[in-house]
């Protein structure tokens, strides 16, 4: 009565059969022709990075996308069916560097930027072809002959047009940002490159006592784990509400937060406490007041709500050219910014005896120098988690670099207005989008790398900037 059913099923074979059937019957083409000219429904596919073969997670996402498109096709909609490939970015560069055995930005430059870009392009072509075959095998229906590539001239030209519009609207500007920096690779690292890059390690931390100019014989205590950044010190930050102890030790008076007094060595006498706000505005002698780069800088105590006393002495050394938070604070308070090291980690001119020295080998010399100036209180081994470069394992530093930004305050309200018109599924995604728009900082669109969208910005030494909006203009 029943047709016999095989007890073993060969799924791959069945899938091939279905794919063959679709191919022979031109099923997808027929579907497109049937719906052609009817009501439009456009699925905008976010481009997949064409840097490796697809993984299971890609197949998963593509399955959902395919289901939506098939559902809409069954309802009779005329669809776009355009797949996209994301072609640029550091991930492609890193794989190509590995293939070519290159190890740093300098080696890429020696190899030749044109040849390097050619290799990146080849890799994208290779893997976009592989991903296309994988997607077909998955049974995904797309107009595979018509995929878009972010590295295509058409795409680049659209973005140039967009950037020029931003410029005309006054949204585009060149600014500075303190970035995690690898001095060996000579490049900044983005947030997602810092994931998993923290290692347990031990550094020499240092406690300093810096003379308060208005009060001879009295000192601000401060602690840091990165002595090289002391050359860029411009301020000491205290929490205005925190209690600070006034402590007599040998022949001097020290200020440090009340909860950290136990970190002092030897005998001491607590004379009283004051709120941090009472210390704000005092001037002190900076640890490297004697360097040319520090001339004319008024080092002073400033208020900062982020200061705590879990580590150190409740006083934070501020070097805006060497740290992201420090830089932000400097912008709020109008503090000067000193950048001590170049892109390969060597001290710039203006740093006296440090000039030309590598940042990784100065700690001992700096301690010695501070000791001679009578500013060194003590050093102490400090175990902490510190980031290293994921490519070369070099310890990262922070460096202030020039980058291009889109100012988000100007576009925030219009974007929130538009986002509210969207029908979000699920609806909390809309709330999340609005939170993100409310909190987004200025958008850094430039990278100090090679294989990316070429930014069409041409600054002239006279200060004028020309933004090219199309190939024709170029
Ligand atoms: Zn590196
Ligand atoms: Zn000019």
């Amino acid at each position: 009565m029943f047709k016999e059913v095989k007890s073993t099923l060969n799924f791959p074979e069945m899938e091939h059969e279905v794919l063959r059937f679709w191919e022979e019957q031109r099923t997808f083409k027929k579907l497109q022709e049937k719906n052609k000219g009817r009501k439009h429904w456009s699925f905008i596919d976010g481009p997949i990075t064409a840097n490796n073969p697809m993984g299971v997670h890609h197949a998963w996402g593509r399955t959902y996308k395919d289901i939506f498109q098939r559902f809409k096709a069954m309802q009779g909609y005329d669809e776009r069916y355009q797949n996209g490939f994301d072609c640029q970015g550091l991930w492609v560069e890193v794989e190509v560097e590995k293939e070519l055995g290159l190890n740093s930005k300098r080696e890429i430059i020696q190899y030749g930027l044109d040849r390097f870009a050619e290799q990146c392009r080849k890799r994208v072509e290779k893997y976009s072809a592989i991903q296309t075959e994988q997607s077909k095998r998955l049974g995904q229906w797309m107009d595979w002959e018509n995929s878009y590539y972010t590295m295509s001239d058409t795409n680049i030209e659209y973005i140039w047009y967009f950037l020029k519009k931003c410029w005309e609207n006054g949204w585009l500007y060149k600014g500075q940002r303190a970035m995690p920096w690898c001095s060996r690779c000579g490049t900044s690292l983005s947030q997602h490159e810092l994931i998993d890059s923290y290692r347990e390690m031990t550094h020499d931390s240092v406690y300093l006592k810096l003379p308060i100019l208005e009060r001879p014989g009295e000192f601000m205590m401060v602690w840091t784990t990165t002595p090289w950044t002391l050359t860029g010190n411009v301020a000491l930050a205290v929490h205005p509400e925190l209690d600070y102890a006034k402590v007599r030790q040998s022949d001097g008076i020290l200020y440090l937060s009340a909860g950290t007094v136990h970190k002092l060595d030897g005998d001491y006498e607590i004379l009283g406490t004051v709120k941090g706000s009472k210390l704000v505005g005092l001037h002190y002698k900076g640890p490297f007041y004697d360097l040319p780069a520090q001339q004319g800088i008024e080092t002073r105590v400033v208020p900062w709500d982020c200061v705590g006393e879990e580590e150190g002495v409740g006083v934070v050394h501020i070097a805006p050219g060497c740290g992201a938070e420090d830089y932000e604070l400097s912008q709020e308070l109008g503090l000067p910014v000193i950048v001590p090291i170049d892109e390969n980690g060597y001290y710039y001119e203006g740093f006296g005896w440090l000039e030309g020295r590598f940042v990784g080998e100065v700690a001992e010399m700096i301690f010695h120098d501070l000791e001679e100036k009578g500013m060194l209180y003590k050093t102490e081994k400090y175990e902490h988690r510190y980031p290293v470069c994921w490519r070369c394992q070099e310890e990262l530093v922070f460096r202030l670099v020039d980058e291009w930004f889109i100012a988000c305050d100007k576009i925030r309200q219009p974007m929130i207005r538009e986002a509210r018109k969207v029908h979000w599924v699920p609806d909390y995604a809309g709330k999340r989008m609005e939170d993100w728009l409310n909190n987004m900082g200025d958008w850094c669109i430039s990278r100090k790398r090679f294989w990316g969208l070429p930014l069409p910005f041409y600054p002239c030494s006279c200060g004028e900037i020309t933004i090219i909006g199309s190939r024709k203009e170029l």
Side-chain angles (χ1 to χ4, degrees):
M1 184 181 293
F2 297 106
K3 236 167 90 181
E4 202 182 328
V5 178
K6 268 189 268 173
S7 62
T8 55
L9 278 179
N10 185 339
F11 287 109
E13 184 44 46
M14 283 169 64
E15 288 167 13
H16 280 295
E17 232 168 78
V18 173
L19 289 173
R20 256 196 311 275
F21 175 77
W22 285 346
E23 179 82 32
E24 283 162 14
Q25 299 293 315
R26 296 175 58 252
T27 313
F28 178 51
K29 279 272 169 292
K30 282 181 190 163
L31 178 71
Q32 278 182 298
E33 280 155 22
K34 178 173 87 64
N35 287 340
K36 200 174 176 63
R38 298 173 70 170
K39 207 173 162 204
H40 208 74
W41 192 75
S42 195
F43 181 88
I44 314 289
D45 190 15
I48 179 172
T49 306
N51 187 34
N52 273 307
M54 263 166 49
V56 170
H57 58 296
H58 292 118
W60 187 4
R62 297 203 146 205
T63 304
Y64 285 132
K65 293 172 179 182
D66 196 50
I67 287 171
F68 267 89
Q69 299 213 106
R70 284 168 189 261
F71 174 61
K72 286 293 171 184
M74 285 160 78
Q75 291 181 322
Y77 286 93
D78 186 0
E79 295 186 56
R80 181 185 178 93
Y81 291 114
Q82 191 181 26
N83 167 77
F85 290 110
D86 190 358
C87 310
Q88 292 140 320
L90 190 61
W91 297 111
V92 178
E93 285 191 38
V94 167
E95 293 295 335
V96 171
E97 271 182 80
K98 274 194 239 162
E99 278 173 13
L100 296 173
L102 301 175
N103 242 328
S104 69
K105 236 167 120 175
R106 275 192 304 278
E107 286 181 27
I108 295 172
I109 291 167
Q110 277 163 15
Y111 179 78
L113 291 190
D114 49 345
R115 290 171 69 203
F116 184 72
E118 199 45 52
Q119 294 303 319
C120 291
R121 181 178 294 274
K122 273 198 189 136
R123 184 175 178 91
V124 168
E125 281 163 0
K126 175 178 168 187
Y127 284 102
S128 58
I130 290 173
Q131 290 176 343
T132 298
E133 285 316 306
Q134 288 181 303
S135 303
K136 286 180 182 169
R137 172 66 184 80
L138 202 60
Q140 189 181 12
W141 276 351
M142 276 287 191
D143 185 2
W144 293 113
E145 304 304 302
N146 188 31
S147 291
Y148 71 89
Y149 291 77
T150 59
M151 66 184 177
S152 70
D153 285 356
T154 313
N155 183 62
I156 290 170
E157 206 169 5
Y158 281 141
I159 296 177
W160 283 7
Y161 176 82
F162 164 79
L163 290 171
K164 183 160 190 177
K165 280 276 171 250
C166 288
W167 174 251
E168 286 166 357
N169 288 329
W171 301 341
L172 198 63
Y173 71 95
K174 190 178 189 175
Q176 291 185 307
R177 190 155 91 148
M179 300 282 287
W181 188 270
C182 175
S183 51
R184 207 202 52 83
C185 298
T187 185
S188 58
L189 284 86
S190 67
Q191 276 309 313
H192 71 262
E193 291 176 277
L194 286 182
I195 298 166
D196 295 332
S197 71
Y198 282 78
R199 304 272 177 279
E200 287 292 338
M201 56 180 95
T202 305
H203 283 119
D204 284 315
S205 70
V206 58
Y207 293 80
L208 306 182
K209 42 181 250 194
L210 302 174
I212 298 172
L213 299 181
E214 290 88 347
R215 303 179 184 172
E218 300 193 5
F219 303 84
M220 289 297 296
M221 293 286 296
V222 64
W223 173 82
T224 180
T225 57
T226 51
W228 72 271
T229 64
L230 288 167
T231 53
N233 174 273
V234 299
L236 296 179
V238 295
H239 194 296
E241 299 305 319
L242 194 63
D243 285 326
Y244 286 82
K246 182 176 181 181
V247 178
R248 185 198 305 282
Q249 187 166 49
S250 54
D251 53 352
I253 305 274
L254 308 174
Y255 291 92
L256 69 168
S257 77
T260 63
V261 172
H262 63 275
K263 293 184 178 171
L264 295 174
D265 282 344
D267 295 333
Y268 55 83
E269 181 192 350
I270 297 177
L271 303 176
T273 60
V274 292
K275 289 285 179 207
S277 56
K278 294 284 177 218
L279 299 169
V280 169
L282 290 173
H283 293 79
Y284 65 93
K285 197 169 197 174
F288 283 95
Y289 66 91
D290 48 346
L291 294 182
Q294 283 276 353
Q295 297 319 300
I297 305 258
E298 271 188 41
T299 42
R300 62 189 164 100
V301 180
V302 299
W304 195 22
D305 286 339
C306 298
V307 176
E309 50 182 354
E310 298 76 34
E311 292 176 324
V313 292
V315 180
V316 177
H317 140 64
I318 302 295
C322 315
E325 293 85 7
D326 301 40
Y327 181 70
E328 266 173 45
L329 186 68
S330 79
Q331 295 309 99
E332 260 171 55
L333 301 178
L335 301 173
V337 178
I338 298 176
V339 180
I341 54 168
D342 69 14
E343 67 167 23
N344 297 313
Y346 293 92
Y347 277 93
Y348 280 123
E349 212 182 300
F351 289 84
W353 59 273
L354 283 158
E355 184 183 329
R357 288 193 194 272
F358 183 61
V359 63
E361 56 186 35
V362 294
E364 280 304 320
M365 290 181 268
I366 283 179
F367 297 154
H368 183 73
D369 181 74
L370 292 167
E371 182 148 39
E372 285 194 335
K373 292 178 196 159
M375 291 173 166
L376 187 84
Y377 185 82
K378 65 170 172 178
T379 60
E380 194 176 77
K381 295 280 177 214
Y382 182 67
E383 231 178 83
H384 60 159
R385 293 174 63 71
Y386 193 84
V388 296
C389 175
W390 58 275
R391 275 184 295 185
C392 72
Q393 304 300 312
E394 178 83 21
E395 289 179 25
L396 299 180
V397 293
F398 277 81
R399 217 179 144 254
L400 200 66
V401 290
D402 285 333
E403 301 283 8
W404 288 89
F405 294 86
I406 292 177
C408 287
D409 275 339
K410 309 261 177 70
I411 53 175
R412 196 183 314 277
Q413 287 317 317
M415 285 182 76
I416 289 172
R417 260 199 316 276
E418 291 308 309
R420 282 183 184 161
K421 293 181 193 162
V422 174
H423 173 61
W424 296 91
V425 182
D427 52 8
Y428 66 73
K431 176 77 179 72
R432 196 176 288 172
M433 183 71 185
E434 191 160 328
D435 284 346
W436 184 77
L437 288 170
N438 272 317
N439 292 311
M440 70 176 171
D442 287 354
W443 181 20
C444 177
I445 57 166
S446 51
R447 296 281 177 278
K448 300 262 180 279
R449 295 297 308 192
F450 306 117
W451 179 242
L453 179 115
L455 293 177
F457 308 156
Y458 295 87
C460 174
S461 53
C462 76
E464 182 156 329
I465 295 171
T466 307
I467 310 284
I468 302 290
S470 68
R471 264 176 90 121
K472 207 172 145 216
E473 274 179 52
L474 183 67

